[in-house]
Structures are given as C-alpha cells and as structure tokens.
Coordinates of all heavy atoms in Angstrom, one line a residue:
T1 N 0.9 -1.3 0.0 CA 0.0 0.0 0.0 C 0.9 1.2 0.1 O 2.0 1.2 0.2 CB -1.0 0.0 1.3 OG1 -1.9 1.2 1.2 CG2 -0.1 0.0 2.5
D2 N 0.2 2.4 -0.4 CA 0.8 3.7 -0.2 C 0.9 4.2 1.2 O 1.6 5.1 1.5 CB 0.0 4.8 -1.0 CG 0.2 4.5 -2.6 OD1 1.3 4.2 -3.0 OD2 -0.9 4.6 -3.3
Y3 N 0.1 3.6 2.2 CA -0.1 4.1 3.4 C 0.7 3.3 4.5 O 0.3 2.2 4.7 CB -1.6 4.1 3.8 CG -2.4 4.7 2.7 CD1 -3.1 4.0 1.8 CD2 -2.4 6.2 2.6 CE1 -3.8 4.7 0.7 CE2 -3.1 6.9 1.5 CZ -3.8 6.0 0.7 OH -4.5 6.6 -0.3
G4 N 1.7 3.9 5.1 CA 2.4 3.2 6.1 C 2.3 3.6 7.6 O 3.1 3.2 8.4
D5 N 1.1 4.4 7.8 CA 0.9 4.8 9.1 C 0.5 3.6 10.0 O 0.1 2.6 9.6 CB -0.3 5.8 9.0 CG -1.5 5.2 8.5 OD1 -1.7 5.2 7.3 OD2 -2.4 4.9 9.2
V6 N 0.5 4.1 11.3 CA 0.2 3.0 12.4 C -1.2 2.3 12.3 O -1.4 1.1 12.4 CB 0.4 3.6 13.8 CG1 0.1 2.7 14.9 CG2 1.9 4.0 13.9
R7 N -2.2 3.2 12.0 CA -3.6 2.7 11.9 C -3.8 1.7 10.8 O -4.4 0.7 10.8 CB -4.5 3.8 11.7 CG -4.8 4.6 12.9 CD -5.8 5.8 12.8 NE -7.0 5.1 12.3 CZ -8.0 5.9 11.7 NH1 -7.8 7.1 11.6 NH2 -9.1 5.3 11.4
T8 N -3.1 1.9 9.6 CA -3.2 1.0 8.5 C -2.5 -0.2 8.8 O -2.9 -1.4 8.4 CB -2.6 1.7 7.3 OG1 -3.2 3.0 7.0 CG2 -2.7 0.8 6.0
R9 N -1.3 -0.2 9.4 CA -0.6 -1.3 9.8 C -1.4 -2.3 10.8 O -1.4 -3.4 10.6 CB 0.8 -1.0 10.3 CG 1.8 -0.4 9.2 CD 3.1 -0.1 9.8 NE 3.9 0.4 9.0 CZ 4.8 -0.2 8.2 NH1 4.9 -1.6 8.3 NH2 5.7 0.3 7.4
A10 N -2.0 -1.5 11.8 CA -2.9 -2.3 12.8 C -4.1 -2.9 12.0 O -4.4 -4.1 12.3 CB -3.4 -1.3 13.8
A11 N -4.7 -2.2 11.1 CA -5.8 -2.8 10.4 C -5.4 -4.1 9.6 O -6.1 -5.0 9.4 CB -6.4 -1.8 9.4
A12 N -4.2 -4.1 9.0 CA -3.6 -5.1 8.2 C -3.5 -6.3 9.1 O -3.7 -7.5 8.8 CB -2.2 -4.8 7.6
T13 N -2.9 -6.1 10.3 CA -2.8 -7.2 11.3 C -4.1 -7.7 11.7 O -4.2 -9.0 11.8 CB -2.0 -6.6 12.6 OG1 -0.7 -6.1 12.1 CG2 -1.8 -7.7 13.5
E14 N -5.1 -6.8 11.9 CA -6.4 -7.4 12.3 C -7.0 -8.4 11.3 O -7.8 -9.2 11.7 CB -7.3 -6.2 12.5 CG -7.0 -5.4 13.8 CD -7.9 -4.2 13.9 OE1 -9.1 -4.1 13.3 OE2 -7.4 -3.2 14.6
V15 N -6.8 -8.1 10.0 CA -7.5 -9.0 9.0 C -6.5 -10.2 8.8 O -6.8 -11.0 7.9 CB -7.7 -8.2 7.6 CG1 -8.5 -7.0 7.9 CG2 -6.4 -7.7 7.1
G16 N -5.4 -10.3 9.4 CA -4.6 -11.5 9.3 C -3.5 -11.4 8.3 O -2.9 -12.5 8.0
A17 N -3.1 -10.2 7.9 CA -2.0 -10.1 7.0 C -0.7 -10.7 7.6 O -0.4 -10.5 8.7 CB -1.9 -8.6 6.5
T18 N 0.2 -11.3 6.9 CA 1.4 -11.8 7.4 C 2.4 -10.8 7.3 O 3.4 -10.8 8.1 CB 1.8 -13.0 6.5 OG1 0.7 -13.8 6.2 CG2 3.1 -13.8 6.9
A19 N 2.3 -9.9 6.3 CA 3.4 -8.8 6.1 C 2.8 -7.6 5.6 O 1.6 -7.6 5.1 CB 4.5 -9.4 5.2
F20 N 3.6 -6.5 5.6 CA 3.2 -5.2 5.2 C 4.4 -4.6 4.4 O 5.4 -4.4 5.0 CB 2.8 -4.4 6.4 CG 2.1 -3.1 6.2 CD1 0.7 -3.1 6.2 CD2 2.8 -2.1 5.9 CE1 0.1 -1.8 5.9 CE2 2.2 -0.8 5.7 CZ 0.8 -0.7 5.7
V21 N 4.1 -4.0 3.3 CA 5.1 -3.2 2.5 C 4.5 -2.0 1.8 O 3.4 -2.1 1.3 CB 5.7 -4.2 1.4 CG1 6.7 -3.5 0.3 CG2 6.5 -5.4 1.9
V22 N 5.2 -0.8 2.0 CA 4.8 0.3 1.5 C 5.4 0.3 0.1 O 6.5 0.0 -0.3 CB 5.3 1.5 2.3 CG1 5.0 2.8 1.6 CG2 4.9 1.4 3.8
K23 N 4.5 0.9 -0.9 CA 4.8 0.8 -2.3 C 6.1 1.4 -2.7 O 6.7 1.1 -3.6 CB 3.6 1.4 -3.2 CG 2.4 0.3 -3.1 CD 1.3 1.0 -4.0 CE 0.0 0.0 -3.9 NZ -1.0 0.6 -4.5
E24 N 6.4 2.5 -2.0 CA 7.7 3.1 -2.3 C 8.9 2.3 -1.9 O 10.0 2.7 -2.4 CB 7.8 4.5 -1.6 CG 7.9 4.4 -0.1 CD 7.9 5.9 0.5 OE1 7.2 6.7 0.1 OE2 8.5 5.9 1.6
N25 N 8.6 1.2 -1.2 CA 9.7 0.3 -1.0 C 9.5 -1.1 -1.5 O 9.7 -2.1 -0.7 CB 10.0 0.1 0.5 CG 10.2 1.5 1.3 OD1 11.0 2.3 0.5 ND2 9.6 1.8 2.3
L26 N 9.1 -1.3 -2.8 CA 8.8 -2.5 -3.2 C 9.9 -3.5 -3.2 O 9.6 -4.7 -3.2 CB 8.3 -2.5 -4.8 CG 6.9 -1.8 -5.0 CD1 6.7 -1.6 -6.6 CD2 5.9 -2.6 -4.2
E27 N 11.2 -3.1 -3.2 CA 12.3 -4.0 -3.2 C 12.2 -4.9 -1.9 O 12.8 -6.1 -1.8 CB 13.6 -3.4 -3.3 CG 14.0 -2.9 -4.7 CD 14.2 -4.1 -5.7 OE1 14.8 -5.1 -5.3 OE2 13.6 -4.0 -6.7
E28 N 11.5 -4.4 -0.8 CA 11.2 -5.2 0.3 C 10.6 -6.5 0.0 O 10.7 -7.5 0.8 CB 10.6 -4.4 1.5 CG 11.4 -3.2 2.0 CD 10.6 -2.4 3.1 OE1 9.5 -2.9 3.5 OE2 11.2 -1.4 3.5
L29 N 9.8 -6.5 -1.0 CA 9.1 -7.8 -1.4 C 10.0 -8.9 -1.5 O 9.9 -10.0 -1.1 CB 8.2 -7.5 -2.5 CG 7.0 -6.7 -2.3 CD1 6.4 -6.4 -3.7 CD2 6.0 -7.4 -1.4
R30 N 11.1 -8.6 -2.2 CA 12.1 -9.6 -2.6 C 12.7 -10.3 -1.2 O 12.9 -11.4 -1.1 CB 13.2 -9.0 -3.5 CG 12.7 -8.5 -4.7 CD 13.8 -8.0 -5.6 NE 14.8 -9.0 -5.9 CZ 14.7 -10.0 -6.9 NH1 13.5 -9.9 -7.5 NH2 15.7 -10.7 -7.2
T31 N 13.0 -9.4 -0.2 CA 13.6 -9.8 1.0 C 12.5 -10.7 1.7 O 12.8 -11.8 2.3 CB 13.9 -8.7 1.9 OG1 14.9 -7.9 1.3 CG2 14.5 -9.1 3.2

C-alpha cells in the first residue's frame, strides 16, 4: 500500500496479513 501509518498497519494485522510493504519500498518484497 501507499499508506504506512500505524492505523493502516494495525488494520492489516487485524485482517490476518502476514506482512506489510509500502509501495515506495517494493524491493522489500524480494527480502
């Protein structure tokens, strides 16, 4: 996502997301 704020990250955790990457850091997907 474009949004790396605390609320968005918390919402991702609530829905069961395993990980979170901000679009400006797509290279993190490789790691």
Side-chain angles (χ1 to χ4, degrees):
T1 182
D2 289 319
Y3 310 100
D5 59 276
V6 173
R7 286 183 58 201
T8 305
R9 288 176 183 271
T13 301
E14 287 175 21
V15 300
T18 308
F20 189 97
V21 171
V22 178
K23 288 179 181 175
E24 66 186 31
N25 301 321
L26 286 180
E27 283 298 315
E28 289 180 11
L29 290 172
R30 298 179 65 77
T31 303

